[in-house]
Amino acid sequence: MAAVAALSAAVLVLSGCGGGSQAASSGSATSGEVNLIAYSGVWQDQYTAAVIEPFRAKYPDIKINYASKRSSAEMLSALQGQKNNPATDVAIMDNSVSTTGNKQGLFEKIDADGVPNLANVAEKFRDKEGYGPVAMLDAVGLVYDTATFPEAPESWKVLWDPAYAGKINVNAPPSLLGLSLTAITSKMEGEDYTKSIDSAVTRLKEMAPGVQTFAPNPDEYQNVITGQTVLGLGQNARGQFYSDQSNKKMGVTFPKEGTVYQINTVNLVKDAPHSAAAKKFIDYALSAEAQTAFAKALFYAPSVTNAELPAEVKERVVPTDGSLNIVPLDVEFLSSARDKWTDTWKRQIITK
């Protein structure tokens, strides 16, 4: 019996050592590496400090390699190029773009067995087919120079006001900001953007001559802070952050006609080279600890129900309780219409 036991143990050891290339590449849940693709700039800085560094402290044997991109569209393009030989494990991107990735077979479905904290994500923020859930929420806002506007503008119509012609920046599609403005303008014109944007295009063409730049440089926030422009499109989270950084030189507001959610999902890449460690990272990203820390750092609203925000943070993140006037953005439609809308802006709206 002792001999049989010894032989069995030896077989188990050999089996563990010879797990093959798949086991070697996947790694364990608490060791190895994770190749992450996500946003650049201040988003990367704050996410690294609030989420990635604490994750590294908790799991010191997992290395995070961060590949930064300015937009979700750039991330999608990179992932499409890797489809037959993935080099990325996790992608954090806008849901209108991740929906396209789901359709193209770029992402895996996940469940609470592999990612336990998925159970804490509000039901409305989980993908109905089981793909990557919402990781954080924000909304499109109007950013403005507080010296020019001691009181926040109440309406998007200020973008058409000739008094500010030449002092406006608008991020054109494929930026989500420009796509969102298209949907918002359609609503203002009494139009259903899923059927037609003709009225919106006519109205946006009237705005175009007053726009200083459709590609703000260095970005839409710094343009306002430095006085290059006095109005622009932006996102609430970054707007709140830069408002603090600029000693309130810039403000951000949600006009009365409504706004559009900007929703980021966290996604597991199909055939990810380090899937076990990737799931561990996704699970941590969906923890109350990580979601609360990022809300404090960059004013993104959590998607999990067990995150508790301090009152001074909660009043500055985008509300998700139905109190904000939201123009519903049909992400399935937008993922198919993005290229067409972008082309329409290039041909009919952008005049310089």
Side-chain angles (χ1 to χ4, degrees), residues 91-116:
I92 300 176
M93 57 171 55
D94 181 80
N95 71 328
S96 68
V97 178
S98 65
T99 297
T100 300
N102 295 339
K103 291 178 179 178
Q104 293 179 354
L106 298 177
F107 299 125
E108 296 274 13
K109 295 181 180 182
I110 63 173
D111 55 40
D113 290 336
V115 181

Side-chain angles (χ1 to χ4, degrees), residues 22 68 75 84 93 119 153 177 180 188 225 263 270 315 324:
Q22 182 176 358
S68 61
M75 296 181 214
N84 295 326
M93 57 171 55
L177 293 172
S180 298
M188 290 168 60
I225 291 169
I263 301 174
K270 187 172 183 178
E315 67 185 13
L324 185 63

Side-chain angles (χ1 to χ4, degrees), residues 251-281:
V252 58
T253 188
F254 299 126
K256 62 184 180 182
E257 295 91 351
T259 186
V260 170
Y261 274 137
Q262 193 270 310
I263 301 174
N264 287 321
T265 56
V266 57
N267 307 278
L268 176 65
V269 174
K270 187 172 183 178
D271 298 325
H274 314 99
S275 60
K279 289 178 183 178
K280 182 63 68 174
F281 177 78

Side-chain angles (χ1 to χ4, degrees), residues 58-216:
K58 192 170 185 177
Y59 302 102
D61 293 329
I62 299 179
K63 180 182 178 183
I64 304 293
N65 304 310
Y66 194 118
S68 61
K69 300 293 181 183
R70 178 166 168 78
S71 70
S72 295
E74 289 182 14
M75 296 181 214
L76 181 66
S77 178
L79 293 172
Q80 288 168 335
Q82 301 173 14
K83 185 174 182 179
N84 295 326
N85 187 23
T88 302
D89 300 295
V90 178
I92 300 176
M93 57 171 55
D94 181 80
N95 71 328
S96 68
V97 178
S98 65
T99 297
T100 300
N102 295 339
K103 291 178 179 178
Q104 293 179 354
L106 298 177
F107 299 125
E108 296 274 13
K109 295 181 180 182
I110 63 173
D111 55 40
D113 290 336
V115 181
N117 280 319
L118 180 63
N120 295 319
V121 176
E123 185 67 31
K124 62 184 177 180
F125 297 142
R126 299 185 208 174
D127 184 81
K128 60 185 178 182
E129 296 181 8
Y131 290 104
V134 174
M136 62 206 71
L137 297 97
D138 196 23
V140 175
L142 180 67
V143 295
Y144 61 94
D145 172 54
T146 55
T148 304
F149 300 94
E151 298 292 330
E154 295 183 356
S155 170
W156 289 108
K157 293 178 181 178
V158 72
L159 295 174
W160 282 263
D161 191 329
Y164 310 109
K167 286 289 187 177
I168 298 170
N169 53 242
V170 171
N171 305 60
S175 166
L176 179 66
L177 293 172
L179 296 170
S180 298
L181 183 61
T182 307
I184 291 168
T185 306
S186 273
K187 181 191 175 187
M188 290 168 60
E189 293 297 299
E191 184 178 53
D192 180 350
Y193 68 82
T194 65
K195 294 181 171 58
S196 172
I197 58 170
D198 290 348
S199 295
V201 170
T202 297
R203 192 81 171 101
L204 291 167
K205 286 168 67 175
E206 295 170 359
M207 177 197 69
V211 176
Q212 181 188 113
T213 175
F214 289 96

